[in-house]
Amino acid sequence: MNFLAVIPARARSTRLPGKMLADIGGKPMVVWVAEKARASGAADVVVATDDAEIAKAVQAHGFRALMTRDDHPTGTDRLAEVCVQLGLSDDHIVVNIQGDEPLISPTLVADVAQALDRHPSAAIATAAHPLQSADELFNPNMVKVVCDTHGRAMYFSRAPIPWARDALAGGDPVLAPGLPALRHIGLYAYRAGFLRRFPSLSQGTLERWESLEQLRAMEHGFSIQVHLTAHAPAPGVDTQADLDQVRGLVATPGQG
């Protein structure tokens, strides 16, 4: 199976300015991501950026950079431009890897691409893992997903879903034993045909309330296949503290 790995890498970041080029063990963060993407078995790796310095750094490390517009509202819109620029066929699988995930598992990237390849009725595939604590279940910053018996997403929410009625009747936030509570992992594989359509889809009502872009696809009738993995992903980088943590992990033998 051939798939294209695309890393959207915009220059602007409100929480950690310049993070795409932040040094981690002697290499820019976005280059770490590109190396993980290449290790996944992707047929090609492209960094889609609106910044000449990011493009220069990527190319200096032997990776392909594609200049895209600087007015895209989301990373998915940037991927749509990549599909148009490259003239990809509708069935071509494109995996979106966030540029701030320097420790992303190459195996997980490949698994999500394969999940989409194995389910031709799905427009998108993504990943999830079992929640381990009530704190995770009730944390609105950890997005939850519920799936049907075929592994298709039924809904994504910041709320604790599914709701364990009896276990939560007393009002205490607990994780009921055996509850199929899954945390969504923000890694996506798309069919290029869907990506080209995405910019024309109107924002969904549920998407606005939850502030979850994947709900737009579901509200417009597109199916999302969910690959289940046993473990939580390695930490991404949103803040200086996150960056310090990743630097520490990279500096530890056997990590990174």
Side-chain angles (χ1 to χ4, degrees):
M1 177 200 59
N2 289 332
F3 66 93
L4 171 68
V6 179
I7 303 164
R10 67 188 184 99
R12 295 186 298 275
S13 173
T14 54
R15 299 179 70 182
L16 185 59
K19 71 176 179 178
M20 290 296 149
L21 296 179
D23 181 86
I24 299 175
K27 292 177 291 191
M29 177 163 63
V30 69
V31 172
W32 278 85
V33 181
E35 290 177 346
K36 298 294 186 182
R38 183 168 57 191
S40 73
D44 197 5
V45 177
V46 173
V47 175
T49 186
D50 56 6
D51 182 78
E53 290 301 312
I54 292 176
K56 182 179 177 181
V58 166
Q59 291 165 343
H61 285 81
F63 289 97
R64 185 179 180 187
L66 191 67
M67 295 302 298
T68 53
R69 302 200 322 261
D70 63 0
D71 60 349
H72 287 303
T74 71
T76 312
D77 289 284
R78 197 174 303 281
L79 262 68
E81 184 185 350
V82 170
C83 291
V84 172
Q85 285 200 40
L86 298 182
L88 301 181
S89 66
D90 284 352
D91 288 334
H92 202 108
I93 293 176
V94 179
V95 180
N96 177 12
I97 307 173
Q98 299 299 321
D100 56 7
E101 298 280 350
L103 302 181
I104 188 73
S105 163
T107 300
L108 184 60
V109 172
D111 286 344
V112 170
Q114 289 167 1
L116 185 57
D117 184 59
R118 290 195 302 265
H119 295 86
S121 63
I124 306 170
T126 189
H129 71 87
L131 289 168
Q132 300 298 321
S133 70
D135 287 344
E136 293 175 331
L137 180 64
F138 284 83
N139 183 348
N141 295 315
M142 290 190 175
V143 177
K144 276 68 70 175
V145 58
V146 289
C147 302
D148 67 13
T149 56
H150 301 287
R152 291 185 296 255
M154 298 172 67
Y155 192 61
F156 295 86
S157 182
R158 299 182 182 280
I161 57 172
W163 184 261
R165 186 196 65 174
D166 294 342
L168 298 171
D172 295 326
V174 297
L175 178 62
L179 184 73
L182 301 173
R183 178 190 175 188
H184 176 231
I185 300 170
L187 174 67
Y188 295 95
Y190 302 94
R191 300 194 192 279
F194 167 81
L195 284 171
R196 275 191 285 266
R197 289 189 60 183
F198 179 81
S200 67
L201 299 179
S202 59
Q203 190 179 45
T205 301
L206 296 172
E207 176 192 5
R208 288 195 296 271
W209 280 103
E210 293 264 16
S211 191
L212 295 175
E213 184 183 308
Q214 63 269 39
L215 290 176
R216 185 183 315 180
M218 297 185 69
E219 289 185 81
H220 284 275
F222 293 97
S223 176
I224 302 178
Q225 190 69 32
V226 180
H227 167 74
L228 296 184
T229 183
H231 305 292
V237 177
D238 288 321
T239 65
Q240 183 63 48
D242 295 336
L243 180 59
D244 293 341
Q245 180 185 13
V246 169
R247 284 170 170 165
L249 289 171
V250 167
T252 301
Q255 301 297 317

